[in-house]
Structures are given as C-alpha cells and as structure tokens.
Amino acid sequence: MKKIIFSVLISVIILGFSYLQLFAASEKFELKTSKATLTIDHNGNLHIIQNQGQVIQVNTSIYNLWKVILKNNLNNREYTIIPDKNVTIDKSDKIFRLVVNSISIENKALPVKAEFTISEKDDAFCFSGSLKSDSDEWMLKELDYPIISGIQIKDNNPGIYWPVGLGQYFNDPVEFGNRSLRYPDGQGAAMAWFSLNSNDVGMYIGSHDSLQEIKVFNLGYDKSLKMFGTHINTPIFDHEYVIPEMILKIYNGQWHNAAKYYRSWYDKHFEIVKPPDWVRDDPGWLLAILKQQNMEVMWPYKDIDKLCDIAEQFNLSTISLFGWAVGGHDRYYPNYPPDNLMGGREELKKAIDRAHSRGIKIIIYANGKIMDTSTDFYKYNGFETILIQENGRPQIQYYLKQKNSTPVIFAQACTGSEVWRRTMYELGFQAASLGADGIIYDQVGIMNPMPCFSKNHDHKPGLGDAKNRLQMINEARQKSREVNPDFIVMTEGTNDAIIRGIDYHHGCGLGSMISFFGVDGFPELFRYTFPELIMTQRNPNPMITRTDANWALVYGLRHEIESRYPGDVEYLLYGTLPTAESYLNVVSPPSIKKMNLLPAAEATKYVHSLIEFEKNNSDFFRSGKFIDEDGIEVKGNDILAKGFVNGNKIGVVAWNQHLTEKSDFSVSVPGYHLIKAIEPENSVVEGTLPLHANSIRLLIFQKN
Ligand SMILES: [Zn+2]
C-alpha cells in the first residue's frame, strides 16, 4: 500500500515538472496547413481554425483525445482507461507528442505505455502514436482515437457525406443524429473517410491505414450545442500497436475535393484490379436461380438456352447461374456438385458452350462466407474454417426463401482459414473447368468484417478477415486463369478493400438502387471516388422499370434482371403479369406493383433500346470516367444530370425524373462547347429542347 502511494506521489511530481517546464503559459504549439491552423495552448486546449472565414472551428482538449480498453487475460475483465493529466509533452520537430506516463487501475500502475502524436502531413493534421503492453497479463483491446469534440460549422445545415454502401447524404445534422459505421463493409463503411461540407469549405476525416484493418467511424451532432463530435474506434487485441495515420483536413470547395484527397492516398498504397475488356463492355446481367432452396427446379441446364433468349430480348449479355448445384439456392454450401436432376455435368457444359456461341457469358455462384451446418463439411472442417466470436461461439445465420420451409442454418466462415480458401479456389477452378467465364463469391464484399478469435487462422485472433478475403480472391483468380485467361471474380456489394481484387460487382446495399428499404442513397460518393468500379444496379425483379433503368444509366451502373421464383419464370417466358397470389409463399418477392406498370414486352423493349444507346455511346458509358457534376452546371426542375469524361470530351446524361411532365433545363460545362445531343428513342435532337417526362438525353461537349 505504501509503495503505491509513493509511486503516485512521484508521478504527480513528474507531471508537474514536465508539464510546466515544457509548456510555459507564454508558449503554444502550432501547426499550419494551407487552409487551417491547429494550436495547443498551455492548458491543453486544442483549437483548429479554418483560415479564411473561420467557418469551421474545433475546440477540444488534448486530455480528451483518446480512450483505451485493456483486457486482463487472467480474470478476463475489461478496463476502460481515460486520460488524466499525468503526461509528458514534447513539441519538437513540428510534432506534438503526448506521452502517457502512467496507466493505472485502482492506483496500481500497469506495464502499459501510450504515446499520441499530432503532426502535419499531406496538407492535413495527422493523429498517430503507439501503444504497448509489456505484460502478457494485459492486452490492448480497443482504442478510440482521435476523439474530436467541439466541431462547429457556421451554417445551420452543413451537409454530411457518409460512406455507407455507395454513399449517403444528409443535409440536416439533426436528422443525422448519432451514427457509427464499421469499415471495410459494403453495408457499413465502404470507404475509410467521410466529410462535412458547407458553402464551399469542408472537413475531411479519414483513416489512412495501409493494412485496411477494421475501423469504426463515429459521428454525432449535439443540437443544443450545435456541435459535431467524432471518434474513430479501432479493435486491437494485441500487446503492441502502431496507430495508423488518422487524418483531419480542412479543404476548400465541394466534397469532390475530399474524395480526390482520399483517392490520392489510396493510390499510393493500392492498385485496383483491371478487368478483362469484356467486363468493361458488359451491359449487365440476368441473374437466374435454377433451383430454389425448396428443391423446385425452375430452369434445368438445357433451359439455359431459354435464359439466353431472355437475356437477348433485354440486350443483356451475361447470365449468372445461382442455385445451380445439388442443394439449390442457399442449401448445402460449400458443396456445389452439378445436379443430375437438372441434367448433370455434361449437360451443363454443353449449355454453357451454346451460350458462348451466342456471345453470352456465364457466371457461376458460390457463397464465399457461409457454410450449411447440416453438411459433412461443417461437421469435419468446421473447426478449422468457421469464424469464432469472442465468446467462443460460431456466428450463425439463417436463410429462408419459402415461408413454409424450415430455415437453413449457416455458420460464417473465415477466409483466414487456409482450408476455406482452398475450398473456394477449387470452386473457382471447377467453374472455369465447366467453361464458365467467372465465379461470384457471394457476400465477400458485403458481409460485416467481424473480429475472428480462431487460433487456427492466418490472422491474429481478434482481427477481421478483410485481407484474407482479398488473398482468397487472388488465389482463385490465379488458379482459374490457368484454364481461362479472361476468367473473372465477382462478389456482391463492394468496399474499397475488396475492390482491389474484384473484376465486376453485383450491386447490393445503399446506393445500388434508387431507394434501399425506403432510404435514398448517394451513389455519387463511391462512384466519384472509384469511377473505374464496374457494378450492376440491384434490381430484384424479372423486369426493369423505365425509372430504374434510367437511374442506373445516369450513375453508370450496369443493369440487372432477376429470376428467382416461379412467378418470375411465368413473367419472363409468357409475359404473365403477377397478382398478389403469385408470390404468396416466397420470402422477399419482386415488386408486383412495378411488374404491373406496363406489359412485359414494352418494359423489355425500353431496356433494350437504352442498352443499345449505351453501346452506341460507349466512349462515355463504357470507357468514360464518371465525374458526377464536378465542373458541370445544371439547371431545371426534376433534372438529374451526371458527367462522364473521355479525352477532350464530356458526355453529360440528363434525366427528367418527373413521371408525367416535360421539363425545361440547361446544362453547361465551362471551358467546353456543346457538339451533339442524342436520345435513345429519338436519335439526334436539339440540345436545348425540353426533356420529356422520365426521359434521358446525352449532351456531348468538347473542350474549347
Ligand atoms: Zn478467422
């Protein structure tokens, strides 16, 4: 007891000494970027002020910058450590260094060291540091850092650009409230940055972690104080940790500049896969479940010919085969032997050959993340392959496709397992051997990167499997390309960790459709940051409405038709419009309302003409780069217009979203002049004429 009191006294003395000596009242620490100044005064108050106009200001304290959770490995208890003033401050060489002298619990000093730094890097403020435990007894569990409170923006409604899915935009901070997003996750944070923006100035917050490990981004708005607060949470589960660079940047201009800043960091560390030319030119796909979860066969292998007919009617040139193996859709994974009931292996190979002779590509399905717990695979390989949660349990998921069936129970696999990865790349090799043009590893891009505590995997216990997912995909591609050099790997959803290995994305999540479970996305955010991404829209219907097709075109997304249930087959083969009874027994049916909007043949004809239009203007819709509205001026009610640049030309596609009334509008591109205007059904038109209801026009501009 005496010893503890003595050490506390010593600490207090050290604190007073170091604190006063290194930071006299007349002194302050200062960092400057081209747009802002960061100062820390002798009381530890941290201010960030935007130089011009002071629209953005941050007032926080260095004594609230971090929080660490330690775990005691002997008693399994967790302890939250919050900062006190027992720190040493060093501010040499333009680096502010905050060294935590002592971390203690119940007056007992622990063998844990922490150091936090603030510096200027790449014209931004960079928060980094390191943590170390010198004892096996104490593990670093997680870190909140930097915790930045007191963010004021002199505008009642600064916009929030939030990286969930392909993106979300909020113009009301009160509506935004408090939110958090886990990265890298197609349904969570698909990118490791977000931005607040107001009247041509903005604040960028990003994690520049070249390992792309799990981060949780938190942002909240206090409506009484009219202030934002943010912090980044990082799971660690290790004894030593170097904090990757967490970046706060004040910038001028619109959010596009924040996106470009993140992309320039990304390009220093990573390279995005370049898909074969056929993917670049692909207009989209027909997703067909051949056999459902209840074992009902809808499309035997020989009927792949009929699927080719349907794809051609829509002008689509890729078909994905889901539920193509013995277990049907969402059963018996990861077992995917060709089904004799549907015609057997040779019949499947012949059908794929016939599709190729018509110029149609075939993609084969495998789920990259889950295994059916009723399989021998789970029984004998589960121990090595499943994701283990912190409580030692598997992560269980249920999938149900028909209301009168027993849900199928799956365990989540971890791609950190070499056995799982081998199982997956053998499926890729099988797909290539069947003659398919690619494999879709479902859920690899979209599933939450949960920490896995298995001791059998190629990651440290407590980390996610993001980098192993990439490893799995790369192994699969390499092996399959021995059979077919143009073989591709696809997945559902996207995030910027997986984008490095995926040739083609099956759209999923916010921003992959106009409204995702009632929430509007802002796909501009991801599309502008990663314009080379090739992704389908998500359209769980056996037809595409004119509105959905136009929407996808504007964002440069490829189209999708889905055949999942017998009602879809009736519609696709015979044009039968569904009634409420058509899908009574199925889970997540297509939109009966959309299907009944117009006769099937008319719906199909519009999509065909729209895709023809895209092909005729492939310079923009296939080879062009999506630039959103950056550098483009658009006026007009109900007009949504986006640009695609190629060389010295910019194609701006304008869409009148009004369903019944035509709209006057104008589009101009400073520094460019209009050379041509085209519409899908009217060919060349006068660019300045009003745009008909729910119609699109491409305006082609050339550099002056
Ligand atoms: Zn694992």
Side-chain angles (χ1 to χ4, degrees):
M1 190 64 179
K2 268 184 188 168
K3 200 174 173 185
I4 291 171
I5 292 169
F6 179 71
S7 75
V8 170
L9 279 174
I10 292 284
S11 298
V12 170
I13 291 164
I14 289 171
L15 162 72
F17 178 72
S18 56
Y19 186 70
L20 289 174
Q21 189 191 45
L22 287 172
F23 230 123
S26 59
E27 277 187 79
K28 66 177 179 183
F29 177 78
E30 187 174 275
L31 290 174
K32 277 184 181 294
T33 67
S34 64
K35 301 289 181 289
T37 305
L38 179 152
T39 55
I40 298 169
D41 69 18
H42 67 286
N43 286 323
N45 297 313
L46 189 159
H47 303 287
I48 299 172
I49 296 179
Q50 183 226 348
N51 295 341
Q52 202 176 16
Q54 305 189 350
V55 175
I56 300 177
Q57 296 191 16
V58 177
N59 292 294
T60 188
S61 165
I62 60 161
Y63 299 114
N64 295 321
L65 267 187
W66 59 274
K67 187 176 92 180
V68 173
I69 295 179
L70 299 177
K71 185 174 178 183
N72 186 299
N73 287 327
L74 298 182
N75 66 14
N76 236 8
R77 280 177 61 191
E78 291 176 8
Y79 299 83
T80 300
I81 310 295
I82 51 170
D84 59 20
K85 293 193 174 178
N86 186 1
V87 294
T88 301
I89 288 163
D90 173 25
K91 50 188 179 63
S92 57
D93 301 331
K94 284 286 175 193
I95 296 178
F96 183 85
R97 209 178 291 276
L98 187 147
V99 181
V100 179
N101 294 319
S102 166
I103 286 180
S104 49
I105 293 168
E106 292 158 3
N107 288 334
K108 185 186 166 197
L110 306 182
V112 177
K113 293 173 192 151
E115 179 181 311
F116 300 93
T117 62
I118 306 172
S119 60
E120 186 276 326
K121 186 169 185 188
D122 299 334
D123 202 27
F125 303 117
C126 172
F127 296 78
S128 184
S130 61
L131 304 167
K132 190 166 190 277
S133 162
D134 285 324
S135 155
D136 287 344
E137 185 183 345
W138 292 95
M139 176 184 268
L140 308 161
K141 182 170 183 275
E142 59 188 86
L143 168 71
D144 282 347
Y145 179 74
I147 303 171
I148 310 275
S149 55
I151 302 170
Q152 282 179 293
I153 298 179
K154 283 192 204 162
D155 181 340
N156 283 334
N157 291 309
I160 300 160
Y161 296 86
W162 195 232
V164 54
L166 293 187
Q168 193 172 9
Y169 170 69
F170 297 85
N171 60 9
D172 181 1
V174 176
E175 183 206 333
F176 180 87
N178 285 284
R179 290 171 194 250
S180 66
L181 282 181
R182 182 183 288 244
Y183 167 89
D185 178 2
Q187 301 207 70
M191 301 184 284
W193 70 278
F194 67 88
S195 183
L196 306 172
N197 193 290
S198 171
N199 299 330
D200 243 21
V201 293
M203 175 187 281
Y204 163 100
I205 304 273
S207 156
H208 290 190
D209 177 6
S210 59
L211 298 175
Q212 296 184 305
E213 292 289 1
I214 297 172
K215 304 283 175 305
V216 183
F217 292 89
N218 301 274
L219 178 68
Y221 184 71
D222 185 321
K223 64 180 174 186
S224 57
L225 295 174
K226 294 190 173 170
M227 285 182 190
F228 289 96
T230 183
H231 65 274
I232 299 174
N233 173 275
T234 308
I236 302 175
F237 294 100
D238 206 341
H239 293 273
E240 204 166 349
Y241 187 63
V242 176
I243 304 168
E245 291 168 352
M246 309 291 193
I247 298 291
L248 187 160
K249 179 178 168 68
I250 308 289
Y251 64 91
N252 281 6
Q254 294 300 309
W255 64 270
H256 299 114
N257 290 339
K260 279 187 235 174
Y261 184 75
Y262 181 73
R263 183 60 198 261
S264 73
W265 167 77
Y266 188 96
D267 285 343
K268 282 181 200 160
H269 297 272
F270 315 116
E271 202 171 326
I272 294 174
V273 72
K274 189 176 182 303
D277 289 349
W278 76 261
V279 176
R280 187 197 61 208
D281 297 333
D282 195 59
W285 79 358
L286 165 61
L287 181 163
I289 294 177
L290 306 188
K291 181 183 186 181
Q292 254 298 353
Q293 193 179 42
N294 63 355
M295 301 294 177
E296 181 175 4
V297 174
M298 289 172 284
W299 305 99
Y301 298 145
K302 66 178 169 47
D303 282 358
I304 288 173
D305 294 347
K306 291 182 186 168
L307 289 170
C308 290
D309 295 340
I310 293 162
E312 284 172 355
Q313 284 160 19
F314 282 99
N315 215 348
L316 298 170
S317 51
T318 296
I319 298 171
S320 61
L321 308 179
F322 283 43
W324 65 277
V326 167
H329 189 56
D330 284 352
R331 191 184 290 281
Y332 299 162
Y333 298 165
N335 300 323
Y336 299 87
D339 190 358
N340 291 329
L341 185 65
M342 287 194 276
R345 182 181 298 269
E346 289 309 309
E347 182 70 52
L348 176 58
K349 286 169 81 169
K350 283 178 196 160
I352 292 173
D353 273 351
R354 291 196 300 276
H356 285 162
S357 68
R358 300 167 70 162
I360 289 178
K361 303 286 185 186
I362 300 289
I363 306 296
I364 275 186
Y365 178 97
N367 197 303
K369 280 297 287 175
I370 55 173
M371 67 188 81
D372 183 340
T373 56
S374 76
T375 57
D376 277 357
F377 185 92
Y378 176 78
K379 195 171 170 186
Y380 299 118
N381 296 305
F383 177 71
E384 280 186 79
T385 55
I386 60 172
L387 180 145
I388 304 279
Q389 300 184 89
E390 195 176 5
N391 60 12
R393 295 176 185 167
Q395 200 267 324
I396 296 298
Q397 305 176 7
Y398 303 84
Y399 290 93
L400 180 67
K401 303 294 172 186
Q402 283 82 22
K403 290 176 185 168
N404 60 354
S405 304
T406 307
V408 181
I409 302 171
F410 293 87
Q412 186 178 164
C414 177
T415 58
S417 156
E418 198 261 333
V419 176
W420 183 257
R421 291 199 305 274
R422 193 172 65 232
T423 306
M424 287 297 116
Y425 78 62
E426 280 172 359
L427 290 171
F429 187 72
Q430 171 179 263
S433 306
L434 288 167
D437 303 279
I439 186 164
I440 176 163
Y441 290 116
D442 200 15
Q443 297 191 311
V444 169
I446 204 84
M447 199 173 280
N448 186 340
M450 294 178 69
C452 169
F453 293 82
S454 171
K455 294 187 174 74
N456 300 314
H457 296 170
D458 299 333
H459 60 72
K460 286 182 184 169
L463 293 186
D465 70 346
K467 70 172 187 290
N468 304 112
R469 294 185 193 192
L470 201 57
Q471 182 185 1
M472 177 184 97
I473 287 161
N474 289 335
E475 286 167 355
R477 177 189 287 100
Q478 200 177 355
K479 180 121 177 115
S480 307
R481 285 195 175 169
E482 289 169 14
V483 182
N484 173 2
D486 276 348
F487 190 85
I488 65 160
V489 175
M490 298 185 65
T491 192
E492 183 190 39
T494 193
N495 62 67
D496 70 24
I498 208 76
I499 197 175
R500 295 159 54 195
I502 293 291
D503 299 287
Y504 196 174
H505 299 256
H506 179 211
C508 187
L510 198 63
S512 66
M513 52 176 77
I514 295 179
S515 173
F516 187 70
F517 295 104
V519 181
D520 291 348
F522 188 75
E524 289 88 337
L525 201 67
F526 199 97
R527 294 285 295 123
Y528 183 83
T529 314
F530 294 101
E532 57 272 79
L533 173 89
I534 302 177
M535 184 175 192
T536 68
Q537 65 183 128
R538 190 54 176 263
N539 176 52
N541 302 300
M543 51 82 73
I544 316 181
T545 65
R546 186 178 174 106
T547 301
D548 288 334
N550 287 341
W551 177 84
L553 173 83
V554 168
Y555 288 104
L557 299 173
R558 310 304 161 90
H559 303 285
E560 178 186 47
I561 306 284
E562 293 190 359
S563 168
R564 299 175 296 146
Y565 296 111
D568 300 335
V569 178
E570 287 288 309
Y571 178 92
L572 289 168
L573 285 180
Y574 312 112
T576 313
L577 297 178
T579 62
E581 284 72 41
S582 307
Y583 293 94
L584 268 187
N585 190 40
V586 310
V587 177
S588 74
S591 168
I592 294 171
K593 190 177 158 197
K594 285 183 179 180
M595 290 168 73
N596 277 286
L597 280 177
L598 72 174
E602 277 182 43
T604 309
K605 189 177 162 218
Y606 182 71
V607 177
H608 191 285
S609 72
L610 197 73
I611 290 176
E612 205 58 27
F613 179 67
E614 293 172 17
K615 288 181 179 175
N616 293 337
N617 296 285
S618 61
D619 283 355
F620 303 108
F621 296 119
R622 301 288 182 259
S623 313
K625 177 181 160 186
F626 179 83
I627 54 168
D628 187 38
E629 290 164 49
D630 194 10
I632 298 167
E633 290 167 2
V634 182
K635 285 181 195 150
N637 291 333
D638 302 307
I639 298 292
L640 182 70
K642 302 291 173 190
F644 297 82
V645 65
N646 191 338
N648 65 348
K649 292 196 181 92
I650 289 178
V652 180
V653 59
W655 171 31
N656 174 10
Q657 298 172 89
H658 203 287
L659 296 181
T660 53
E661 288 175 21
K662 65 183 178 183
S663 177
D664 288 316
F665 77 109
S666 73
V667 172
S668 57
V669 184
Y672 289 72
H673 60 279
L674 182 67
I675 56 168
K676 199 175 175 188
I678 330 163
E679 291 184 359
E681 291 162 314
N682 298 319
S683 67
V684 178
V685 290
E686 191 71 46
T688 51
L689 285 175
L691 196 46
H692 288 290
N694 202 7
S695 293
I696 60 137
R697 183 178 301 160
L698 177 67
L699 300 131
I700 302 175
F701 294 84
Q702 188 168 319
K703 208 167 198 169
N704 293 337

